[in-house]
Amino acid sequence: MSEFSPISIYLVISPLVSLIPLGVPFPFASNSSTYPEKLSAYECGFDPFGDARSRFDIRFYLVSILFIIPDPEVTFSFPWAVPLNKIDPFGSWSMMAFLLILTIGSLYEWKRGALDWE
Amino acid sequence: MNVPATRKDLMRVNMGPHHPSMHGVLRLIVTLDGEDVIDCEPILGYLHRGMEKIAENRTIIQYLPYVTRWDYLATMFTEAITVNGPEQLGNIQVPKRASYIRIIMLELSRIASHLLWLGPFMADIGAQTPFFYIFRERELIYDLFEAATGMRMMHNYFRIGGVAADLPYGWIDKCLDFCDYFLTGVTEYQKLITRNPIFLKRVEGVGVVGGEEALNWGLSGPMLRASGIQWDLRKVDQYECYYELDWEVQWQKEGDSLARYLVRIGEMTESIKIIQQALEGIPGGPYENLEIRRFDKVKDPEWNDFEYRFISKKPSPAFELAKQELYVRVEAPKGELGIFLIGDAGVFPWRWKIRPPGFINLQILPQLVKRMKLADIMTILGSIDIIMGEVDR
Amino acid sequence: MIKMIMDTTEIQTINPFSRLEVVYGILWTLVPIFGLVLGIIIGVLVIVWLEREISAGIQQRIGPEYAGPLGILQALADGVKLLFKENLLPSRGDARLFSIGPSIAVISILLSYSIIPFGDHLILSDLTIGVFLWIAISSVAPIGLLMSGYGSNNKYSFLGGLRATAQSISYEIPLTLCVLSISLLSNSPSTIDIVEAQSKYGFWGWNLWRQPIGFIIFLCSSLAECERLPFDLPEAEEELVAGYQTEYSGIKFGLFYIASYLNLLVSSLFVTVLYLGGWNLSIAYGFIPKLFDINKAGKVFGTIIGILITLAKTYLFLFIPIATRWTLPRLRMDQLLSLGWKFLLPISLGNLLLTTSFQLLSL
């Protein structure tokens, strides 16, 4: 409890720190001089060709899928790595086996060209 | 079953004219598939000022102050071509000293142009700092120009049959000092840039132009020489006094952006070599062919009397262009700068067609950027080296 | 220090007659938080000033000189200007996503500061999960960037947001693996334990010497996480105009600006904590402890020294990212991802396996 209470207060304070500046311009800066051209999307001085929210490149999605695999791996490793001196050799070496399997997995990904951006 | 292939939604983006890396007001309509460039369509004309038409109702002397606005970074070359055309049309001799002064000015201008290519090119790749370094050296060149011509950028220095003024006292020493200093500057750039692994990764094999292809597209200048073709008009046409000096054509054979970079860096040091030799060997004598001041006006000019000198101070308003036509060209920093000139036995040219190197070199851009990455557009465009003032005229 | 305060609050909560004192205790908790926030803001202003002066030095310019002595107040002046600027929302954009995006980026980075020890046990909350909190929270920032990129309804912004996300998740893994190796060495993810594990052999006890490969990978990945050159693709000026912040102006743009520098500051603070021995002076082993013995009575003095050492290390380290920013060109997207996935990831995995084997053998 004691170690989390400052951070939970901080959790409230830090949004305030970033949200208060957002409100400050309202009393000072008026939007009266705003006109439609000023608010249109910037595309080098021309009206944009269509909507920006079209389908995007599949490879960005692929990168995020690739990320999902090693990220839990690392997350699993934290509870193992920290009391490394407290767990028995069986536990530590079984985690090594886990890491090894994941290494083989990423080597496979590499081999299949999932890591190529071409 | 007739299933249509999955339609790929391609993104069409306007790049320019208000874009940080469009080198002025070039507009590219780029079709993107994610990060890949599918198509690229350049749109020109945002800086069109009717330069060619304006020339048709100006005398050469009236037009001279305006030509520096074609390629405002290699100003001396535009002036040189503007006087070279009428000179060759009228078969006017240029005194040796004037020719040497012209060579020095042209090569200084070439260095200035290549410097202001290097900075933005590096900025296009993402390195901002070289921009400031090149301005350091470029300022010195412009100081030299200012000392000799009175103006830093728009000099109005060349005249038919010579130059407007002789070099001021001490200018040659100043210029020699600059040459020595500039070589250390080039070494510094090379230390900073040439072997940088990220730089090499970004430019090597990007925008490859083969020799055959370069010829077919009509490329010139460093674009052509980087593709393995040793074509330099200073050697080919032998204009001014370049044949009297010892220098070599800079060329590479790879044809990629790195080769173009190396060619331009090489040309800067080569230009310094030319300038140093020209400064050592500059002869005395007149800096202007005064005969042409009085062209076709006085039958027997009396030398050295009061009236002759008085007239010689003024530009000749009545310089007449013969009823002939010709194409003249110089090796500008960006490539072959040419003029097709038709005279009509009057003071105005009947036709003044400019062949801007940047415009011709730019044509290959859509082909080079296809199937490349978005970031490569900037690398390739930067390595082509265009000035929109010259492309649009 | 804070822990002590917390303990007293806890004791007081047991006592039913001390409601007022509970409020008092909470107020006392607020003091270090506001101190931290103030410190962070000043730290960011200093970084902005440093960046400007160093870049000016590298580029042979003068840099800011008019706002305050040596232009120290330049960043503040810019911030005030941004604060008073008109609040623009793009007409076809999504107002909510557009407004929240920069805040999320700032909040997530601000939270990471809570686990940084500035001095001897001077930490906002000494969590047992420690650095893992940073890893977890810092992955929220790209969501904010993606939100703002999507909310702008601008192609450059959208591409920038996508790039930002792809880049930060790609470099997240090598970064985490490096942190994991450090936790292995210290047998704890707590930042305080990590610093104390480095305090034994002075200068040579730094994790920098035990994890040189890890240090370099950490440096590269944190540069990529901060979106600084050579990895500033999401806001690559020459390609995407300004990336996800193209449509932003006024204080929202200012928040992005602050977020990037906050991120830089927190990264170098973590470098200090993880690799450079944190608040320990770590030099001149002979006379410094004596100096501390003399001042043992003045605990405040020791704390101040600790803070100063941490900040000195951090700001000295900051010269590296600032100098690289003004020296190197930018990578291309495919090169960036292949560097992350094909080079840094295997190397950091190998580094982890090596560290683990050493630790297991030495048990």
Side-chain angles (χ1 to χ4, degrees):
Chain A
M1 162 60 201
S2 71
E3 64 175 12
F4 281 101
S5 63
I7 205 167
S8 26
I9 296 170
Y10 189 55
L11 206 62
V12 179
I13 300 285
S14 56
L16 285 181
V17 168
S18 70
L19 287 176
I20 288 170
L22 282 186
V24 170
F26 284 105
F28 299 105
S30 75
N31 277 23
S32 58
S33 60
T34 304
Y35 46 95
E37 287 291 306
K38 194 173 179 177
L39 296 180
S40 69
Y42 169 82
E43 202 169 310
C44 297
F46 286 90
D47 286 336
F49 293 116
D51 200 73
R53 295 162 182 163
S54 58
R55 285 186 225 172
F56 59 86
D57 197 356
I58 187 73
R59 280 171 296 207
F60 287 111
Y61 177 72
L62 199 65
V63 166
S64 49
I65 289 293
L66 280 180
F67 167 72
I68 290 179
I69 303 158
D71 200 46
E73 162 197 346
V74 177
T75 319
F76 282 140
S77 311
F78 261 93
W80 154 77
V82 171
L84 193 63
N85 48 359
K86 294 190 193 90
I87 50 178
D88 53 356
F90 175 73
S92 40
W93 287 110
S94 58
M95 192 65 192
M96 286 294 267
F98 175 64
L99 282 180
L100 208 66
I101 290 167
L102 278 158
T103 313
I104 293 165
S106 33
L107 281 177
Y108 177 71
E109 269 174 10
W110 192 338
K111 193 98 180 169
R112 289 298 298 264
L115 303 183
D116 292 328
W117 183 264
E118 203 48 61
Chain B
M1 217 169 83
N2 215 355
V3 180
T6 326
R7 204 175 75 84
K8 270 203 154 179
D9 282 45
L10 301 175
M11 190 185 264
R12 290 184 81 206
V13 191
N14 254 315
M15 287 211 170
H18 289 185
H19 190 278
S21 67
M22 279 301 139
H23 292 249
V25 287
L26 176 64
R27 181 184 175 198
L28 298 177
I29 295 181
V30 184
T31 310
L32 291 176
D33 174 19
E35 290 274 328
D36 291 334
V37 180
I38 302 294
D39 195 19
C40 166
E41 183 191 343
I43 295 174
L44 309 176
Y46 292 97
L47 201 58
H48 179 65
R49 291 153 295 177
M51 288 284 191
E52 291 173 0
K53 205 68 191 166
I54 289 168
E56 287 171 19
N57 43 29
R58 298 280 186 285
T59 63
I60 302 302
I61 282 298
Q62 280 176 325
Y63 190 45
L64 256 174
Y66 200 41
V67 296
T68 38
R69 275 81 170 172
W70 301 348
D71 181 349
Y72 40 80
L73 301 180
T75 43
M76 287 294 180
F77 290 90
T78 60
E79 291 184 9
I81 195 71
T82 310
V83 297
N84 281 1
E87 274 168 9
Q88 288 188 22
L89 205 63
N91 198 20
I92 293 159
Q93 299 299 309
V94 178
K96 203 79 186 195
R97 184 173 175 84
S99 186
Y100 267 82
I101 294 176
R102 282 183 179 185
I103 284 184
I104 295 164
M105 291 300 172
L106 289 178
E107 293 309 314
L108 281 175
S109 192
R110 186 186 311 280
I111 293 171
S113 171
H114 281 340
L115 282 177
L116 208 56
W117 161 80
L118 179 66
F121 176 61
M122 290 311 291
D124 283 345
I125 299 176
Q128 305 281 342
T129 301
F131 211 108
F132 292 86
Y133 292 172
I134 61 113
F135 266 104
R136 191 180 58 195
E137 270 82 50
R138 188 169 168 273
E139 282 302 300
L140 296 177
I141 294 178
Y142 278 20
D143 285 347
L144 286 172
F145 282 160
E146 192 183 5
T149 73
M151 289 288 268
R152 293 174 76 80
M153 274 185 91
M154 310 304 179
H155 320 286
N156 190 15
Y157 187 58
F158 283 47
R159 290 287 183 275
I160 297 166
V163 292
D166 203 353
L167 297 175
Y169 177 76
W171 193 89
I172 287 179
D173 292 332
K174 193 174 153 82
C175 192
L176 278 173
D177 285 351
F178 165 75
C179 291
D180 293 337
Y181 167 71
F182 183 71
L183 289 176
T184 63
V186 173
T187 325
E188 195 182 320
Y189 304 149
Q190 286 188 308
K191 262 191 216 158
L192 181 65
I193 301 165
T194 307
R195 268 193 288 276
N196 186 317
I198 299 176
F199 171 74
L200 289 178
K201 259 190 156 183
R202 285 297 304 278
V203 295
E204 247 178 345
V206 170
V208 180
V209 188
E212 184 83 0
E213 207 179 4
L215 289 175
N216 290 344
W217 280 94
L219 304 184
S220 52
M223 283 289 281
L224 184 67
R225 288 194 286 277
S227 301
I229 293 160
Q230 300 179 50
W231 176 267
D232 193 317
L233 293 177
R234 289 173 288 177
K235 284 272 193 227
V236 176
D237 279 9
Q238 305 263 319
Y239 61 95
E240 304 294 356
C241 300
Y242 281 110
Y243 53 88
E244 290 179 8
L245 307 170
D246 172 39
W247 61 281
E248 271 150 33
V249 175
Q250 295 296 311
W251 65 287
Q252 299 281 327
K253 58 180 182 298
E254 289 81 11
D256 55 359
S257 300
L258 177 65
R260 296 195 269 279
Y261 162 81
L262 291 173
V263 165
R264 289 194 176 100
I265 290 281
E267 275 186 14
M268 285 200 268
T269 43
E270 212 61 27
S271 288
I272 288 289
K273 246 171 87 181
I274 296 174
I275 295 169
Q276 280 172 334
Q277 291 173 45
L279 287 171
E280 297 296 339
I282 189 166
Y287 58 88
E288 192 171 17
N289 184 352
L290 294 174
E291 288 301 307
I292 64 125
R293 294 268 189 243
R294 310 168 60 85
F295 215 67
D296 281 349
K297 284 295 152 194
V298 183
K299 287 280 183 297
D300 305 305
E302 277 180 59
W303 285 86
N304 292 329
D305 68 344
F306 171 75
E307 199 189 11
Y308 185 91
R309 272 182 280 128
F310 176 67
I311 293 168
S312 79
K313 286 280 182 281
K314 296 192 292 184
S316 160
F319 177 77
E320 200 181 88
L321 293 165
K323 196 174 171 105
Q324 278 179 17
E325 55 183 66
L326 88 162
Y327 175 72
V328 282
R329 53 190 186 178
V330 291
E331 180 69 32
K334 284 151 187 96
E336 176 183 331
L337 174 64
I339 279 176
F340 181 67
L341 171 63
I342 303 179
D344 195 27
V347 287
F348 303 154
W350 191 82
R351 179 81 172 100
W352 184 277
K353 172 82 182 79
I354 306 162
R355 182 215 188 270
F359 178 60
I360 313 269
N361 289 348
L362 184 61
Q363 293 182 88
I364 200 173
L365 176 75
Q367 193 201 317
L368 286 185
V369 298
K370 254 171 222 167
R371 308 309 313 172
M372 302 299 275
K373 295 276 179 285
L374 177 59
D376 289 332
I377 297 180
M378 282 71 209
T379 317
I380 294 169
L381 184 65
S383 75
I384 290 176
D385 189 16
I386 52 158
I387 291 298
M388 288 315 285
E390 168 191 68
V391 173
D392 288 342
R393 300 185 300 289
Chain C
M1 188 172 80
I2 303 145
K3 244 184 148 175
M4 205 171 65
I5 296 160
M6 288 318 298
D7 289 345
T8 49
T9 345
E10 222 166 72
I11 294 159
Q12 280 158 353
T13 40
I14 301 164
N15 189 346
F17 302 106
S18 59
R19 226 154 237 268
L20 200 73
E21 277 167 11
V22 172
V23 176
Y24 192 69
I26 288 174
L27 278 179
W28 258 112
T29 325
L30 287 178
V31 170
I33 288 176
F34 281 117
L36 180 66
V37 168
L38 198 69
I40 291 168
I41 289 168
I42 292 169
V44 166
L45 293 180
V46 171
I47 294 186
V48 174
W49 180 77
L50 262 184
E51 169 122 86
R52 288 181 166 203
E53 286 290 342
I54 293 170
S55 70
I58 288 175
Q59 299 175 343
Q60 306 188 332
R61 293 183 286 116
I62 296 167
E65 57 173 339
Y66 291 114
L70 291 172
I72 293 171
L73 300 178
Q74 186 62 50
L76 201 64
D78 291 347
V80 170
K81 184 207 81 173
L82 288 176
L83 210 54
F84 290 146
K85 273 187 84 172
E86 193 178 356
N87 206 1
L88 286 178
L89 295 169
S91 53
R92 294 166 69 209
D94 187 317
R96 271 171 303 173
L97 289 181
F98 187 81
S99 310
I100 292 174
S103 297
I104 287 187
V106 171
I107 293 166
S108 64
I109 298 160
L110 265 184
L111 283 178
S112 321
Y113 281 87
S114 59
I115 51 158
I116 288 176
F118 288 93
D120 196 0
H121 291 272
L122 186 70
I123 185 170
L124 198 62
S125 53
D126 181 18
L127 302 180
T128 42
I129 56 168
V131 272
F132 198 56
L133 182 87
W134 176 50
I135 302 290
I137 285 180
S138 66
S139 9
V140 178
I143 297 176
L145 304 185
L146 190 60
M147 276 163 90
S148 54
Y150 188 81
S152 306
N153 200 357
N154 176 315
K155 284 160 197 160
Y156 298 118
S157 307
F158 189 47
L159 271 175
L162 286 176
R163 277 185 178 189
T165 321
Q167 175 177 328
S168 59
I169 62 178
S170 300
Y171 282 77
E172 184 93 22
I173 301 163
L175 191 79
T176 318
L177 288 173
C178 291
V179 172
L180 192 60
S181 311
I182 294 288
S183 321
L184 263 171
L185 283 181
S186 331
N187 284 319
S188 163
S190 157
T191 41
I192 288 198
D193 294 345
I194 287 171
V195 172
E196 285 193 333
Q198 299 177 61
S199 65
K200 278 171 202 145
Y201 307 104
F203 181 67
W204 296 106
W206 288 4
N207 280 335
L208 175 62
W209 313 118
R210 300 162 84 187
Q211 289 277 318
I213 306 168
F215 177 72
I216 289 164
I217 297 167
F218 189 91
L219 180 61
C220 287
S221 317
S222 60
L223 278 181
E225 292 283 315
C226 297
E227 283 153 22
R228 288 179 70 81
L229 271 165
F231 307 108
D232 72 333
L233 287 100
E235 42 196 297
E237 189 194 335
E238 282 76 25
E239 297 149 34
L240 300 179
V241 187
Y244 51 82
Q245 34 181 277
T246 307
E247 289 290 335
Y248 282 86
S249 67
I251 193 59
K252 286 182 201 144
F253 169 76
L255 282 182
F256 272 132
Y257 196 77
I258 290 171
S260 77
Y261 282 102
L262 278 177
N263 210 347
L264 184 63
L265 180 60
V266 85
S267 297
S268 24
L269 278 169
F270 269 109
V271 167
T272 312
V273 169
L274 297 180
Y275 290 97
L276 303 181
W279 67 79
N280 291 308
L281 187 54
S282 350
I283 44 161
Y285 217 59
F287 85 102
I288 290 299
K290 246 188 274 171
L291 194 78
F292 274 102
D293 280 336
I294 295 163
N295 294 294
K296 210 137 212 178
K299 212 180 174 189
V300 180
F301 181 72
T303 314
I304 289 171
I305 288 282
I307 293 173
L308 285 181
I309 290 167
T310 313
L311 291 182
K313 281 175 180 172
T314 307
Y315 280 93
L316 284 177
F317 173 79
L318 266 172
F319 277 80
I320 296 173
I322 292 175
T324 49
R325 173 166 182 190
W326 299 103
T327 313
L328 294 179
R330 181 187 304 122
L331 282 172
R332 213 165 55 199
M333 196 63 198
D334 55 329
Q335 292 166 352
L336 174 99
L337 290 180
S338 59
L339 177 71
W341 288 100
K342 293 184 181 171
F343 183 75
L344 292 183
L345 179 61
I347 297 252
S348 56
L349 206 59
N351 184 45
L352 176 69
L353 289 177
L354 209 69
T355 317
T356 323
S357 317
F358 269 113
Q359 283 293 97
L360 284 176
L361 291 177
S362 66
L363 277 179

